[in-house]
Amino acid sequence: MRKIIAFNGKHAEWGGFEAWRDSFSEHDPLLPIAADDVAIQLYTSGTTGHPKGVQISNSNFTWMMPLWADSWLLNPEVANLVCMPAFHIGGAGWGMVGMYGGATNYIFREFVPAQILEAIEKHRIEVALLVPAMILFLLQAPQIRETDLSSLKIVVYGAAPMPLEVLREALKTFKC
């Protein structure tokens, strides 16, 4: 059976997300799972530029969670920025590892530099995962000069080459 769930409620013939979500019991159904079961399917364009579904197993997550949480200081005292797309390991994985470590995740639907800078200052964000283009856009934002970035402890980047000048400016500006 095929079921389509609409997140924005604009399609009357489809069920809305909230109604679908609320139709389930709040109790864990305790379904059996195995290490090789698919936990989530994410998407990547890899080297071709065309989207490809990538299946991540439960064992992938159980290996990744403690490694990432420990490496990037994601613990209950940490404010964590989640602003990468949720269809990609950068967004979904980073957010899940933040939850695993007990961090407080500040999740953004879109990357808007002014909003990200405001959140860093307001919520005392300590840890963030960004791509080099996001770092460049933050560095170019007019608000960067007035934003208190002193809470940042780690900015992790990846998914693309980092231009040396952007890295130098980021290290000087973020001081972490």
Side-chain angles (χ1 to χ4, degrees), residues 1-175:
M1 178 173 100
R2 182 176 173 184
K3 181 156 184 87
I4 298 173
I5 308 297
F7 282 92
N8 59 14
K10 292 182 181 176
H11 301 283
E13 71 274 16
W14 298 348
F17 172 74
E18 289 82 7
W20 173 78
R21 177 198 63 207
D22 295 344
S23 70
F24 294 96
S25 169
E26 65 185 47
H27 301 288
D28 187 340
L30 301 173
L31 298 173
I33 61 168
D36 290 338
D37 287 348
V38 174
I40 189 170
Q41 180 170 316
L42 302 171
Y43 291 86
T44 179
S45 59
T47 57
T48 67
H50 298 292
K52 292 176 281 301
V54 177
Q55 296 178 337
I56 308 293
S57 70
N58 289 316
S59 62
N60 294 139
F61 271 117
T62 58
W63 173 85
M64 176 185 76
M65 297 283 188
L67 179 67
W68 282 14
D70 291 345
S71 297
W72 293 317
L73 308 180
L74 293 165
N75 62 62
E77 290 80 41
V78 168
N80 180 39
L81 179 68
V82 182
C83 62
M84 300 282 285
F87 63 80
H88 190 273
I89 192 68
W94 190 258
M96 291 172 132
V97 171
M99 287 190 297
Y100 172 86
T104 300
N105 284 339
Y106 291 90
I107 302 171
F108 288 80
R109 184 177 181 96
E110 297 178 77
F111 181 81
V112 178
Q115 292 174 359
I116 299 300
L117 291 170
E118 180 182 343
I120 291 170
E121 183 171 10
K122 179 180 178 184
H123 301 295
R124 306 297 298 155
I125 300 291
E126 297 172 69
V127 180
L129 171 65
L130 305 167
V131 297
M134 291 173 158
I135 292 172
L136 176 62
F137 295 149
L138 289 174
L139 293 171
Q140 292 174 339
Q143 303 85 348
I144 192 86
R145 289 166 192 74
E146 294 83 39
T147 303
D148 179 1
L149 303 170
S150 63
S151 62
L152 287 172
K153 293 181 180 173
I154 297 176
V155 176
V156 178
Y157 71 87
M162 174 64 88
L164 186 56
E165 283 308 310
V166 174
L167 180 59
R168 285 183 178 137
E169 186 64 24
L171 289 167
K172 187 172 86 178
T173 303
F174 298 135
K175 295 181 176 63

